[in-house]
PDB file of all heavy atoms in Angstrom:
ATOM      1  N   ARG A 164      94.017 111.548  94.488  1.00 87.00           N
ATOM      2  CA  ARG A 164      94.069 110.163  94.031  1.00 87.00           C
ATOM      3  C   ARG A 164      93.086 109.220  94.678  1.00 87.00           C
ATOM      4  O   ARG A 164      92.823 109.300  95.863  1.00 87.00           O
ATOM      5  CB  ARG A 164      95.478 109.628  94.256  1.00 87.00           C
ATOM      6  CG  ARG A 164      96.416 110.217  93.256  1.00 87.00           C
ATOM      7  CD  ARG A 164      97.671 109.434  93.246  1.00 87.00           C
ATOM      8  NE  ARG A 164      98.077 109.253  91.866  1.00 87.00           N
ATOM      9  CZ  ARG A 164      99.210 108.707  91.511  1.00 87.00           C
ATOM     10  NH1 ARG A 164     100.035 108.235  92.404  1.00 87.00           N
ATOM     11  NH2 ARG A 164      99.519 108.588  90.252  1.00 87.00           N
ATOM     12  N   HIS A 174      98.839 113.082  95.014  1.00 94.00           N
ATOM     13  CA  HIS A 174     100.081 112.650  94.368  1.00 94.00           C
ATOM     14  C   HIS A 174     101.197 113.632  94.712  1.00 94.00           C
ATOM     15  O   HIS A 174     101.154 114.790  94.299  1.00 94.00           O
ATOM     16  CB  HIS A 174      99.853 112.610  92.853  1.00 94.00           C
ATOM     17  CG  HIS A 174     100.940 111.945  92.100  1.00 94.00           C
ATOM     18  ND1 HIS A 174     101.456 112.450  90.934  1.00 94.00           N
ATOM     19  CD2 HIS A 174     101.619 110.802  92.357  1.00 94.00           C
ATOM     20  CE1 HIS A 174     102.407 111.639  90.497  1.00 94.00           C
ATOM     21  NE2 HIS A 174     102.523 110.631  91.345  1.00 94.00           N
ATOM     22  N   ASP A 178     105.462 111.931  87.906  1.00 97.00           N
ATOM     23  CA  ASP A 178     105.760 110.621  87.321  1.00 97.00           C
ATOM     24  C   ASP A 178     106.306 110.770  85.915  1.00 97.00           C
ATOM     25  O   ASP A 178     105.689 111.428  85.076  1.00 97.00           O
ATOM     26  CB  ASP A 178     104.493 109.762  87.259  1.00 97.00           C
ATOM     27  CG  ASP A 178     104.063 109.260  88.631  1.00 97.00           C
ATOM     28  OD1 ASP A 178     104.829 109.447  89.597  1.00 97.00           O
ATOM     29  OD2 ASP A 178     102.966 108.686  88.716  1.00 97.00           O
ATOM     30  N   HIS A 253     108.004 103.356  85.926  1.00 97.00           N
ATOM     31  CA  HIS A 253     108.125 104.813  85.861  1.00 97.00           C
ATOM     32  C   HIS A 253     108.936 105.281  87.065  1.00 97.00           C
ATOM     33  O   HIS A 253     109.108 104.546  88.027  1.00 97.00           O
ATOM     34  CB  HIS A 253     106.750 105.489  85.868  1.00 97.00           C
ATOM     35  CG  HIS A 253     106.036 105.455  87.190  1.00 97.00           C
ATOM     36  ND1 HIS A 253     105.356 104.358  87.643  1.00 97.00           N
ATOM     37  CD2 HIS A 253     105.908 106.385  88.168  1.00 97.00           C
ATOM     38  CE1 HIS A 253     104.833 104.607  88.829  1.00 97.00           C
ATOM     39  NE2 HIS A 253     105.155 105.837  89.181  1.00 97.00           N
ATOM     40  N   HIS A 255     108.787 107.852  90.096  1.00 97.00           N
ATOM     41  CA  HIS A 255     108.016 108.814  90.882  1.00 97.00           C
ATOM     42  C   HIS A 255     109.071 109.678  91.562  1.00 97.00           C
ATOM     43  O   HIS A 255     109.844 109.197  92.383  1.00 97.00           O
ATOM     44  CB  HIS A 255     107.137 108.082  91.898  1.00 97.00           C
ATOM     45  CG  HIS A 255     106.406 108.990  92.851  1.00 97.00           C
ATOM     46  ND1 HIS A 255     105.142 109.458  92.617  1.00 97.00           N
ATOM     47  CD2 HIS A 255     106.780 109.512  94.033  1.00 97.00           C
ATOM     48  CE1 HIS A 255     104.765 110.229  93.631  1.00 97.00           C
ATOM     49  NE2 HIS A 255     105.741 110.282  94.499  1.00 97.00           N
TER      50      HIS A 255
HETATM   51 ZN1   ZN B 301     103.836 108.952  91.199  1.00 87.73          ZN
END
Side-chain angles (χ1 to χ4, degrees):
R164 286 195 138 174
H174 191 224
D178 287 352
H253 73 280
H255 174 92

